[in-house]
Amino acid sequence: MWKTFEAVDRHVTVTAAALPLRPEAANYQSSIPELEASIESVADLDAAVFEADPDVVVQNHRFEAAALGERPAFHDEYPVVHLRHGASVGRGEIDNTTRDLGDVVDLALAPGERWAARYREAFPESVDIAVVGIPEADDLVETDPPGERCVLYAPTNHNYGGGCYLETAEAVLDTFADTDYRLLFRPHPMDRIEEPGASVTERCRERIADLRNVVFDEADTPRESMLAADLLVSDYSGIVTEWLHTGRPLVQLTAVASGSDVPELGYVTDELTLDVIDRLYEDGYPPTIERRVDEQLAALGIPMDGHAGERAAREVVGCTQ
């Protein structure tokens, strides 16, 4: 989640600090200074926020309410801005946001018009809505594909997103093993530490050790991997909407654990083959798919001009005026 805040913070002109709520989120090598506090209760959280006495609090979900069991008092004392981490499409992510945050936030920063329209319908009229884009994707805009036959496999998590990882991880390795493609294999962080994904990850990691053309992607964030890849294989993960900023081909696998329909934002298939990868790498999308992707991009309404972080920063700083 740090990548989202960092992409905004570099455009913020006032002093900023981060307050990690969980121990595993602390001590991240970030440009944003961290506040030192042990958050084990709502009282701890309120004490930390009131001591910092910020002009505005930016958060990306309502973790503290679920983890700590009650509503913090700082919500009533400071402007609260909601900034999404990840803009998944098709996972019920908007319903979760509007259900959990309607009585919390004063300003919601929407990735695109698709999200903003639903926010306007579901949030109270007191919540301001601003379309800013996806700040962490700014660096992907107008970048050239490397042209080095590199494919990134990065599905959404199993337990929370109901993605395709359990159903497709080993089949993806079968497809690319010992080919002339380089595969960057990137399980979601939660599928590396939680079952049932963790067992799949361990099996795949052991196999990858014997594959000359496959790399287990250990990078903290997917930015460098996306810049290095010519093609993405995923499902409806938030990485998909970031990837759309590159203009490069996307393959979406439809065998998702949730059973939900996968919104067609690229080449959609229930069976990955090397022939499909070859055609997309050499020729890009067929005209019919290219038209559909253009229509879907228009419906999402995500500004893809490389200035999302600047827009988000202006909105946040505006709350301090």
Side-chain angles (χ1 to χ4, degrees):
M1 298 179 183
W2 280 94
K3 66 177 184 178
T4 307
F5 293 111
E6 288 177 320
V8 175
D9 182 65
R10 63 187 179 185
H11 302 290
V12 169
T13 56
V14 296
T15 302
L19 176 61
L21 299 186
R22 294 180 291 184
E24 58 267 34
N27 301 314
Y28 185 80
Q29 297 303 308
S30 169
S31 59
I32 309 173
E34 288 185 25
L35 301 177
E36 294 186 9
S38 176
I39 309 299
E40 298 181 3
S41 67
V42 165
D44 292 338
L45 178 57
D46 278 330
V49 174
F50 285 123
E51 181 178 358
D53 193 23
D55 291 297
V56 58
V57 176
V58 183
Q59 62 183 59
N60 92 328
H61 53 35
R62 198 177 174 182
F63 169 80
E64 75 276 3
L68 304 177
E70 55 185 303
R71 176 190 171 97
F74 81 81
H75 288 165
D76 300 318
E77 300 296 329
Y78 300 102
V80 177
V81 177
H82 176 245
L83 174 64
R84 293 200 75 87
H85 165 71
S88 304
V89 179
R91 283 177 30 176
E93 71 290 341
I94 296 180
D95 292 337
N96 292 342
T97 297
T98 54
R99 179 197 66 207
D100 293 343
L101 296 172
D103 63 341
V104 173
V105 299
D106 300 285
L107 168 63
L109 304 182
E113 185 55 39
R114 170 186 180 270
W115 291 263
R118 295 279 296 281
Y119 288 175
R120 295 185 194 108
E121 292 175 359
F123 277 139
E125 291 185 2
S126 59
V127 178
D128 292 327
I129 313 294
V131 175
V132 297
I134 302 175
E136 57 266 42
D138 282 347
D139 291 342
L140 301 175
V141 176
E142 297 182 354
T143 55
D144 294 325
E148 297 181 354
R149 305 183 75 82
C150 182
V151 176
L152 172 62
Y153 170 65
T156 198
N157 56 77
H158 176 80
N159 287 345
Y160 308 104
C164 72
Y165 184 57
L166 266 61
E167 288 72 19
T168 64
E170 291 171 281
V172 166
L173 290 182
D174 291 340
T175 301
F176 287 99
D178 298 319
T179 68
D180 60 354
Y181 286 96
R182 180 171 182 257
L183 177 66
L184 302 177
F185 186 90
R186 186 180 179 83
H188 189 277
M190 300 310 295
D191 282 324
R192 307 180 194 201
I193 61 174
E194 290 187 353
E195 294 293 357
S199 294
V200 175
T201 298
E202 187 57 31
R203 289 199 302 272
C204 291
R205 191 191 289 269
E206 291 175 0
R207 184 178 177 190
I208 287 169
D210 296 323
L211 295 175
R212 59 171 179 78
N213 66 318
V214 182
V215 175
F216 191 94
D217 189 352
E218 301 275 14
D220 286 340
T221 70
R223 175 183 174 275
E224 294 301 327
S225 303
M226 285 192 280
L227 289 172
D230 297 290
L231 190 147
L232 173 66
V233 177
S234 188
D235 40 34
Y236 46 27
S237 168
I239 201 173
V240 166
T241 49
E242 293 183 51
W243 177 262
L244 293 174
H245 290 66
T246 69
R248 303 173 199 172
L250 163 68
V251 175
Q252 292 176 279
L253 304 179
T254 59
V256 294
S258 69
S260 301
D261 293 333
V262 174
E264 298 185 358
L265 301 173
Y267 184 97
V268 180
T269 182
D270 60 359
E271 183 179 0
L272 185 66
T273 67
L274 212 56
D275 285 343
V276 166
I277 299 298
D278 285 339
R279 290 198 303 271
L280 291 173
Y281 179 80
E282 296 295 339
D283 304 322
Y285 293 132
T288 54
I289 294 179
E290 188 167 9
R291 284 194 296 272
R292 174 169 49 73
V293 170
D294 288 342
E295 291 171 357
Q296 292 288 350
L297 286 174
L300 294 178
I302 302 172
M304 296 185 181
D305 56 3
H307 298 289
E310 296 173 40
R311 280 188 291 272
R314 283 197 299 270
E315 293 290 342
V316 170
V317 173
C319 292
T320 72
Q321 307 295 313

